[in-house]
Amino acid sequence: MAFWLYAARRAAHTAVTLVLLLVFMYVLFRLVPGDPTTIMLGTGELPFEAQQRLRELWGLDRPQWQQFVTYAGNLLTGDLGMSFYFRRPVIEIVWPMLLNTLVLMTPVVVISIVLGVVIGTWLGWRRGERIEEIGAILALIPRALPVFWIGIVLLALFAYELRWFPIGGMRQAFFFPETWYQELPFFDVARHLVLPVAAGVLTSMADPLMIQRTALIEVKHEDFMTHARARGLTERAQRRLARRTAFLPVLTYSAIMVGFAFGGQVLLEVVFNWPGIGRLMVNSVSQRDYPVAQATFFLMAAAVVTLNLLVDLAYGWLDPRIRQ
Amino acid sequence: MLALDDVSIIYAARSGPVQAVSGVTLHLPVGGSLGLVGESGCGKSTLALAALSLLPPEARLSSGAVRLEGQDLATLPEAKLRRLRWTRMAYVPQSAQNALVPVHSLRRQFRDTAAAHGMRSAAADERAAALFQRVELDPAILDRFPHELSGGMRQRAMIALALLFGPSLLVADEPTTGLDVIVQRQVIDLLRDLRTEDGLALLFISHDIGVVAELCSHVAVLYAGKVMESGATDRVFSLPNHPYTMGLQRAFPDIRHPERSIVSIAGHPPRLSAPPQGCPFAPRCPFAQPLCHNTVPSLVAGPDGRAVACHFAADAEALRDRARDPALWDAAA
Amino acid sequence: MSMAVSVTDARKTFVASRRLFGGGTTVHAVDGVSFTIAPGRVLGIAGESGSGKSTIANLLVGLELPTGGEIAVGGRPLGRKPDADFRRSVQMVFQDPFGSINPRFTVGDTVGEPLLIHRLGSPAERHARAVAALDEAELRPGEAFMDRYPHELSGGQRQRVAIARAIVLRPRLLVADEPVSMLDVSVRAGILRLLNRLVHESEMAMVFITHDLSIVASVCDELAVMYRGRFVEHGPVRDVLQRPVHPYTRALIAAVPVPDPTVAPTPLPAKLMSGGAPVAGGCRFAPRCSAAVAECETIDPVLEPAGPAHSVACIRHKEIAP
Amino acid sequence: MSPFASWSGGFGAIFLSLVVLIAVLAPWLSPYDPLVNNFDAAGQLRRLAPPSAAHLLGTTYYGLDVLSQLIHGTRIVLIVGITCAVLIALIGTNIGLIAGYYGGRVDTVLMRATDLAFGVPFIPFAVVLVALLGPSLWNTIIAISFLMWRSTARVIRSQVLSLRERGFVKAARIAGASDMRILYVHIFPNVLPMALLYVSFDIAWAVLAEASISFLGFGDPHQTSWGQMLYLAYVSGSIRQAWWWTVPPGAALSLFVIAVFLVGREYERLANPRLR
């Protein structure tokens, strides 16, 4: 089957998932006791008349499905409503935070997958050697560590104790460069990135690593690897072949990993005071600022669904069998 | 061309070492054809891999030597061995479905193989197109992926790939198993042509004595990792000297004689982790005597280039007469 | 005499390669097949993969429902859905002895299960019937096998367990789908002889599906050769094997390797392999047939008599008959 | 198989037994009530006291005994781990079984639901749900189980898809077995090893998830969980000096999860010989 047909089908699939996701969110955020008119004012001690006017204004008197259509339409067009807390359009608050989140998340995900695949291939290829056995068990350990705890330990050690890195945030309020390289525009942000990225990579590297290792061990037993050896392929070419085939499960996993990465991201942002949407979400939930909470949740979910689609497309590209 | 001298192979299994092949000696002359027949688990595929020096890590050559054109493969460094593979000896495995790289087009697999031996992509493409014509495949198929082809097409593509460097030895391990009869016939015809026209030496492994009879001038019958009988195919099949060969032959139906009843051989092959003390076939042999259960018969070469491992090889003629009666085998089963 | 099985114009179509929008291509896996089998007789159905022989097997045992035609077992037609009676009257033996028995069941559980499902007899009676079925399948003594697990058995023994499970309900029809093709050569004859004996000593009929024409003679009474969803030749087994009429049957027989090195293999006609797709409304074998004439492209042949009990679907059968 | 590998599985098993023992005996083992503030002789709150004979692992900012909290935390870990794993296994296995066996429309609907569950970011969802329903241990368990069945469902479904084509399933259908019988007598026992493997990993993930939710401040305020200990250490700003407050709960959490992984790995090794 042609690749584009496969791509179209996956895209249609994603659209359906996105709609379902909107329904899911609509229901989820209506689990809040009372309705927005009462939440907004905290106590709900508003005169009945005024409440009624607000209900009409916000369309809360219309049938559920109409409310949902308006809601979905608004979200999809970027009209995320007003923040109860900041009294500003949600989009203005969320947008810069989203960019900050990507600044932290991209290196975490990319480095984790690259390191995981490289180390996983190495371990899988060396199956049965003593170093591999120890390596495989060592690789389990970081997967078991809670990311926020690693963050705390890193902070206590490298920020408070050794003072090598800042104790959190993304930029320093009053930063005076001492040498030339400190004057580089991204230097300050990079310095703030080191600890959170280290904590993130340490904990999210383990999964791609273990998956790549397991897949490689399985691939090594495949007939086509014996045949590749029979064809006189060099050790390097054989390993490239194995890595290429064994990478497919990692690719599948990377879609799931993005979902997890947002979870880890929330924790990282809280521990390191990173001004991203994860921390914003936790704060807005605590402050019962539901429009903001909803918007951050939607953005994360939409990002996961979109990245899932991209991974599916990459899979279809790399594995011709899947296109059927 | 290819010589296996007293080859024994041991697998390290979970339950302990398993002697998959013991003391097998085989010779395949230049341009010759040798069929290995036997039931599943008799060591056929292990021997094929040993002939290519491709044994998996858990298996090892515990004794003997495999020689290709006089060179002992075990003594060659890996780099030399690698260059020998595919240029001098090629391999057509049992399942082309699993042996072709699933994520690469056929063209890519030709090119990768070519690159491993220093041939350029353009030259590889040209050669691949010519070879596809040789195996009666449309060269346009080169750009397809293995899963897009039928079983017969895949197996022929596999053979074309084996011929990339015009090797002098082809090891084919059950290349027609799982194919439909007409497609199987096509593959057999192709292999026969390669043998007679291109002078390719063929080591052919099969459980089907009919296919071996059509394709190979010489045959070795394996049982429990040992050669029971070997020699020229027409001699072995017309005058089998070993009771196992006789039974195997009687177990095979012949479509020209639907009235002939086929037999089963009682029992099942021995477990190689705990082989019987005497002749491995003794527990299933209708002619077994106390001697057979205690002493392993050695493979004795006869005058006509044949060898047989049976204590009663001298009485073969009488045994053959008795083996013709299906009641004999039924009584044992 | 009432027939154990009668199949009239059975059809099964599948929708293949579904598109993103709209329908897809229909494949006629079985395209108008009729036959009857008397109790105690065996019909062999031979053909290459994709000929529709496995679909017939699935239709006969109710794993799939026909899209047209009628299937009746013991005179009772299969209605909209197979009912308990139908389930009791047909059973199947599968190709793969390793996949066809639940690895977590003992032999006794496996063989006794059909009795349990149909709530036949007390536990003691069920046990006795399962032991008897094992004995009949030549696993003797049956009692000794009851508590064993499949992994303790050889391939041949597993296939006998599968046969015992199939006969424990005393079905009217047994469908054997390539029952020996995954077994070692040395044990095939035993299984074939067992099936042969079970059918011919009882009122049970059998359909024996195979791709290997060389073994049909030892089990079957009649043989039908299938090509692209149709029977192209049907007759007494030795008659078909020794005097095949249809060009396809001839090619199939010629392609079977002969275990005699002194006999040169019969060459196959070149057109057999190079032929393209059949023309609608014509003979489906015509593009690969070396005996085809222009008419073959326009006439879709039906089975017609070519000898006693022997029929062939070829418009030139009289001219090309041996 | 190397002794090293089985040694690691044994270590995991011993550690887990120890945790169960501590959880059962928690009231007798812990020297203090984990939720009662401790005062010194002068009546002063024992704020951030370093480890001593009286408080083997020191005290918290609120004057609570760290060791006692740690000991009581094992109970939360086991309740959350086991309850979630059972819920997840029940939901995931059944969805996988039903989707894989029935196929067609049922499969499409259930797999869409699974896709949706994969599309929802897990921790943010749990935080929102717990915040909306009100922080409590039970709500945390619901929030965790509500999404985590997804991996189990997918894996079990793919196993069922291949089992469905096996002869013994067809044979059962031909013999007239009901769908329920085929699903739960024939197919289920054959997917059980895989389901159990996922149960072991789900215990680990659920415990980590509970810790994360508690660390974000949405845990049950009336229970002492290890995640909550870290939350309080963090928000009280004590992480720079009170290592005795931050290291033990984090290390205990990690060791518990490692132990679960090691036992799961050992089990996988037995179930899947290829990984030996």
Side-chain angles (χ1 to χ4, degrees):
Chain A
M1 187 166 62
F3 178 71
W4 68 265
L5 201 61
Y6 167 80
R9 189 175 287 178
R10 298 312 303 178
H13 209 112
T14 304
V16 174
T17 309
L18 207 59
V19 170
L20 289 175
L21 199 65
L22 286 172
V23 177
F24 177 75
M25 275 182 59
Y26 182 79
V27 174
L28 178 66
F29 281 91
R30 262 144 201 76
L31 284 178
V32 188
D35 71 25
T37 56
T38 55
I39 296 164
M40 192 173 174
L41 297 153
T43 52
E45 298 298 319
L46 202 69
F48 184 74
E49 292 269 306
Q51 244 189 40
Q52 210 56 27
R53 272 229 310 284
L54 270 179
R55 275 175 199 277
E56 270 170 42
L57 187 67
W58 289 339
L60 292 174
D61 52 344
R62 287 182 292 153
Q64 288 288 328
W65 70 269
Q66 278 188 14
Q67 290 191 46
F68 170 72
V69 170
T70 320
Y71 163 89
N74 287 347
L75 275 183
L76 291 176
T77 51
D79 178 1
L80 303 174
M82 289 285 282
S83 162
F84 296 162
Y85 183 80
F86 297 100
R87 307 268 167 191
R88 278 199 292 143
V90 171
I91 189 92
E92 282 178 26
I93 303 162
V94 168
W95 188 245
M97 300 275 189
L98 181 65
L99 291 181
N100 292 348
T101 289
L102 290 180
V103 167
L104 174 54
M105 196 169 140
T106 313
V108 170
V109 171
V110 171
I111 297 175
S112 299
I113 290 180
V114 171
L115 272 183
V117 167
V118 170
I119 301 176
T121 305
W122 189 83
L123 285 178
W125 200 255
R126 251 154 247 284
R127 176 90 191 126
E129 293 176 26
R130 186 142 200 101
I131 180 117
E132 186 265 342
E133 274 176 27
I134 297 168
I137 288 185
L138 284 182
L140 275 173
I141 294 174
R143 181 159 75 154
L145 305 180
V147 64
F148 52 89
W149 186 58
I150 303 259
I152 289 176
V153 171
L154 289 182
L155 272 180
L157 230 85
F158 295 103
Y160 289 114
E161 205 55 43
L162 298 169
R163 292 170 187 278
W164 288 355
F165 296 102
I167 56 163
M170 189 171 166
R171 289 188 189 82
Q172 201 146 322
F174 307 100
F175 180 64
F176 305 106
E178 289 164 14
T179 54
W180 64 270
Y181 59 82
Q182 295 192 354
E183 291 178 35
L184 294 174
F186 56 84
F187 176 81
D188 188 37
V189 174
R191 230 165 49 98
H192 283 81
L193 265 176
V194 174
L195 290 184
V197 167
V201 167
L202 206 58
T203 48
S204 40
M205 185 183 77
D207 271 319
L209 189 156
M210 296 305 282
I211 292 170
Q212 175 80 11
R213 170 180 162 274
T214 310
L216 198 87
I217 291 170
E218 301 235 337
V219 165
K220 269 174 69 180
H221 285 86
E222 296 280 353
D223 287 353
F224 69 80
M225 289 306 295
T226 311
H227 195 252
R229 224 176 119 212
R231 282 187 278 149
L233 261 57
T234 59
E235 169 111 3
R236 242 186 81 206
Q238 287 178 47
R239 201 191 302 201
R240 198 175 54 208
L241 198 57
R243 195 175 51 210
R244 163 78 159 75
T245 326
F247 178 65
L248 294 171
V250 177
L251 190 64
T252 313
Y253 172 75
S254 64
I256 298 167
M257 181 176 162
V258 173
F260 283 129
F262 273 108
Q265 186 71 19
V266 172
L267 294 158
L268 278 180
E269 289 181 4
V270 167
V271 175
F272 289 97
N273 270 315
W274 191 268
I277 54 169
R279 203 178 58 137
L280 178 66
M281 195 200 86
V282 171
N283 291 340
S284 57
V285 170
S286 309
Q287 291 151 353
R288 310 210 146 243
D289 189 354
Y290 290 112
V292 175
Q294 196 165 228
T296 51
F297 189 83
F298 173 70
L299 281 178
M300 290 192 222
V304 172
V305 173
T306 316
L307 286 165
N308 268 317
L309 173 65
L310 292 181
V311 166
D312 270 356
L313 295 186
Y315 203 109
W317 187 254
L318 285 175
D319 189 349
R321 287 170 298 182
I322 210 78
R323 292 178 209 162
Q324 236 124 34
Chain B
M1 180 76 226
L2 178 74
L4 283 81
D5 287 321
D6 193 30
V7 166
S8 296
I9 297 162
I10 292 180
Y11 270 88
R14 231 177 294 158
S15 46
V18 173
Q19 178 114 25
V21 172
S22 32
V24 168
T25 299
L26 296 169
H27 292 271
L28 176 61
V30 175
S33 57
L34 175 64
L36 297 181
V37 291
E39 295 175 79
S40 57
C42 68
K44 292 173 298 192
S45 295
T46 306
L47 266 179
L49 292 177
L52 296 156
S53 192
L54 278 178
L55 287 173
E58 60 270 22
R60 68 185 169 85
L61 203 64
S62 59
S63 79
V66 180
R67 289 194 183 81
L68 182 75
E69 293 166 333
Q71 283 175 297
D72 186 347
L73 294 183
T75 60
L76 285 181
E78 185 64 28
K80 261 211 171 120
L81 205 54
R82 184 182 79 69
R83 262 172 272 139
L84 219 58
R85 289 187 182 130
W86 227 251
T87 52
R88 306 297 300 139
M89 53 185 182
Y91 172 46
V92 177
Q94 185 161 3
S95 156
Q97 165 90 61
N98 302 332
L100 289 165
V101 181
V103 296
H104 285 165
S105 68
L106 293 175
R107 185 182 301 283
R108 174 80 191 269
Q109 313 200 26
F110 272 90
R111 285 183 178 177
D112 281 356
T113 315
H117 300 281
M119 188 197 261
R120 288 173 177 281
S121 290
D125 283 357
E126 209 173 294
R127 181 102 178 102
L131 286 171
F132 262 43
Q133 244 136 30
R134 177 79 179 82
V135 301
E136 291 168 18
L137 281 178
D138 182 356
I141 287 173
L142 270 171
D143 289 309
R144 301 248 207 109
F145 290 94
H147 72 276
E148 298 175 317
L149 308 181
S150 71
M153 284 157 101
R154 266 198 297 263
Q155 203 54 274
R156 277 181 287 156
M158 204 84 216
I159 293 172
L161 183 56
L163 301 175
L164 184 60
F165 295 103
S168 35
L169 169 68
L170 186 67
V171 178
D173 184 1
E174 304 253 12
T176 62
T177 304
L179 298 181
D180 278 321
V181 265
I182 292 180
V183 182
Q184 160 172 295
R185 164 49 75 80
Q186 210 185 1
V187 171
I188 294 171
D189 287 349
L190 173 63
L191 288 172
R192 193 189 304 108
D193 284 354
L194 291 172
R195 191 161 82 69
T196 52
E197 291 167 20
D198 303 16
L200 199 65
L202 184 66
L203 180 63
F204 187 88
I205 286 137
S206 182
H207 68 277
D208 187 336
I209 59 175
V211 177
V212 172
E214 289 203 347
L215 200 53
C216 302
S217 65
H218 287 74
V219 64
V221 180
L222 288 177
Y223 186 77
K226 290 191 166 115
V227 176
M228 296 288 110
E229 181 165 16
S230 67
T233 312
D234 49 356
R235 303 280 298 154
V236 171
F237 285 165
S238 56
L239 299 168
N241 282 340
H242 196 286
Y244 180 59
T245 319
M246 298 174 198
L248 209 53
Q249 214 182 6
R250 300 289 313 166
F252 252 94
D254 183 339
I255 191 148
R256 298 167 307 160
H257 302 286
E259 72 288 350
R260 234 181 241 170
S261 62
I262 53 173
V263 304
S264 355
I265 305 175
H268 44 82
R271 273 183 294 144
L272 293 172
S273 48
Q277 203 189 352
C279 169
F281 187 58
R284 302 175 75 186
C285 182
F287 311 118
Q289 302 292 320
L291 169 70
C292 304
H293 292 285
N294 301 324
T295 319
V296 183
S298 51
L299 190 69
V300 180
D304 51 353
R306 296 180 58 181
V308 60
C310 176
H311 292 302
F312 298 97
D315 305 332
E317 207 172 322
L319 298 185
R320 273 199 296 276
D321 270 346
R322 289 173 62 196
R324 274 196 200 99
D325 179 14
L328 172 85
W329 301 93
D330 284 349
Chain C
M1 184 175 57
S2 81
M3 286 296 164
V5 189
S6 74
V7 174
T8 321
D9 197 31
R11 285 163 197 281
K12 179 72 186 176
T13 50
F14 294 104
V15 178
S17 72
R18 272 173 53 209
R19 308 232 176 82
L20 189 53
F21 305 105
T25 347
T26 7
V27 173
H28 300 268
V30 174
D31 196 11
V33 165
S34 307
F35 59 86
T36 58
I37 312 175
R41 305 289 285 172
V42 182
L43 169 68
I45 300 181
E48 295 181 280
S49 50
S51 61
K53 56 187 195 305
S54 292
T55 309
I56 289 205
N58 288 343
L59 290 177
L60 285 172
V61 296
L63 278 181
E64 279 165 27
L65 295 174
T67 34
E70 195 172 87
I71 293 171
V73 174
R76 287 187 28 138
L78 160 67
R80 289 285 308 134
K81 235 185 142 190
D83 56 8
D85 262 4
F86 182 85
R87 292 296 190 201
R88 275 177 64 174
S89 55
V90 293
Q91 288 297 311
M92 188 159 173
V93 176
F94 297 86
Q95 175 176 18
D96 177 7
F98 293 88
S100 66
I101 302 178
N102 193 333
R104 292 174 190 272
F105 274 32
T106 62
V107 168
D109 293 338
T110 296
V111 178
E113 198 194 18
L115 298 168
L116 184 67
I117 290 169
H118 292 282
R119 295 170 211 281
L120 298 175
S122 64
E125 284 164 350
R126 288 203 288 263
H127 184 91
R129 280 183 71 173
V131 172
L134 286 170
D135 276 328
E136 262 194 277
E138 294 166 7
L139 287 173
R140 296 191 181 115
E143 192 66 56
F145 284 89
M146 289 293 278
D147 294 324
R148 299 241 220 132
Y149 279 93
H151 65 86
E152 303 169 52
L153 306 178
S154 71
Q157 288 174 322
R158 285 166 185 241
Q159 204 59 307
R160 288 173 191 273
V161 172
I163 291 171
R165 171 179 61 191
I167 58 172
V168 76
L169 284 176
R170 311 232 151 268
R172 287 169 187 277
L173 170 67
L174 180 64
V175 176
D177 188 1
E178 309 252 14
V180 298
S181 69
M182 287 181 75
L183 298 178
D184 259 322
V185 180
S186 64
V187 301
R188 284 184 185 178
I191 300 287
L192 293 175
R193 191 158 333 114
L194 169 65
L195 288 171
N196 190 332
R197 184 175 64 70
L198 286 174
V199 175
H200 290 106
E201 288 176 1
S202 71
E203 294 290 286
M204 181 169 74
M206 178 159 83
V207 168
F208 185 90
I209 310 269
T210 183
H211 70 280
D212 185 355
L213 279 172
S214 58
I215 59 169
V216 289
S218 51
V219 208
C220 305
D221 303 303
E222 288 171 48
L223 175 64
V225 176
M226 264 191 109
Y227 186 75
R228 289 190 176 232
R230 287 260 179 96
F231 281 4
V232 294
E233 186 155 5
H234 183 181
V237 64
R238 289 195 185 161
D239 215 26
V240 175
L241 288 180
Q242 291 179 320
R243 279 179 298 281
V245 179
H246 197 282
Y248 179 64
T249 313
R250 291 188 193 177
L252 273 186
I253 290 172
V256 175
V258 172
D260 183 349
T262 56
V263 179
T266 330
L268 295 180
K271 201 181 169 194
L272 188 66
M273 298 318 302
S274 54
V279 182
C283 171
R284 37 200 84 196
F285 186 60
R288 296 173 68 189
C289 181
S290 45
V293 291
E295 273 181 296
C296 294
E297 303 259 310
T298 53
I299 302 174
D300 192 0
V302 290
L303 281 176
E304 38 188 285
H310 191 150
S311 50
V312 178
C314 175
I315 55 168
R316 301 192 64 208
H317 73 86
K318 289 205 181 81
E319 301 152 60
I320 61 172
Chain D
M1 192 167 70
S2 89
F4 188 59
S6 55
W7 175 86
S8 65
F11 164 79
I14 290 171
F15 185 86
L16 291 186
S17 325
L18 204 66
V19 171
V20 172
L21 201 68
I22 292 175
V24 172
L25 301 177
W28 295 278
L29 285 179
S30 64
Y32 300 91
D33 186 322
L35 292 171
V36 170
N37 314 61
N38 292 290
F39 296 91
D40 61 15
Q44 283 283 38
L45 191 65
R46 278 207 184 123
R47 219 178 257 278
L48 295 179
S52 63
H55 297 280
L56 287 174
L57 285 176
T59 63
T60 71
Y61 184 79
Y62 310 98
L64 305 174
D65 182 55
V66 173
L67 180 63
S68 304
Q69 293 209 313
L70 197 66
I71 288 173
H72 277 267
T74 54
R75 295 188 149 194
I76 306 291
V77 159
L78 289 184
I79 291 172
V80 169
I82 292 169
T83 318
C84 286
V86 168
L87 281 176
I88 291 164
L90 278 178
I91 303 172
T93 308
N94 282 299
I95 287 187
L97 278 173
I98 290 168
Y101 179 70
Y102 287 101
R105 213 157 273 171
V106 176
D107 184 34
T108 311
V109 168
L110 291 178
M111 282 303 107
R112 278 291 148 76
T114 311
D115 284 348
L116 181 66
F118 270 110
V120 177
F122 176 62
I123 294 284
F125 165 79
V127 164
V128 170
L129 196 68
V130 171
L132 293 179
L133 299 179
S136 78
L137 193 60
W138 184 237
N139 285 342
T140 306
I141 288 172
I142 290 178
I144 292 171
S145 312
F146 196 88
L147 284 184
M148 281 238 284
W149 53 267
R150 53 197 185 178
S151 322
T152 311
R154 257 193 199 173
V155 169
I156 296 297
R157 171 179 173 268
S158 71
Q159 288 224 318
V160 174
L161 283 182
S162 80
L163 282 169
R164 194 173 66 163
E165 298 306 316
R166 296 269 287 277
F168 69 84
V169 172
K170 289 186 186 171
R173 190 163 334 140
I174 291 170
S178 64
D179 286 344
M180 282 299 120
R181 181 175 174 86
I182 294 176
L183 263 177
Y184 292 100
V185 178
H186 282 280
I187 296 181
F188 176 69
N190 284 291
V191 299
L192 191 63
M194 185 59 97
L196 284 178
L197 182 66
Y198 269 72
V199 164
S200 77
F201 291 131
D202 287 336
I203 292 177
W205 296 132
V207 166
L208 281 178
E210 187 278 333
S212 304
I213 294 166
S214 295
F215 177 77
L216 292 174
F218 297 94
D220 189 335
H222 309 296
Q223 304 278 358
T224 313
S225 90
W226 295 341
Q228 196 158 21
M229 290 171 73
L230 289 166
Y231 165 65
L232 292 174
Y234 183 79
V235 292
S236 66
S238 313
I239 64 166
R240 57 190 310 173
Q241 65 269 47
W243 59 267
W244 59 86
W245 189 6
T246 53
V247 172
L253 204 51
S254 308
L255 275 173
F256 177 82
V257 175
I258 290 171
V260 173
F261 280 161
L262 290 178
V263 170
R265 212 174 94 99
E266 190 63 28
Y267 174 76
E268 192 177 16
R269 198 194 295 277
L270 297 176
N272 183 359
R274 255 196 174 180
L275 289 177
R276 268 158 204 273

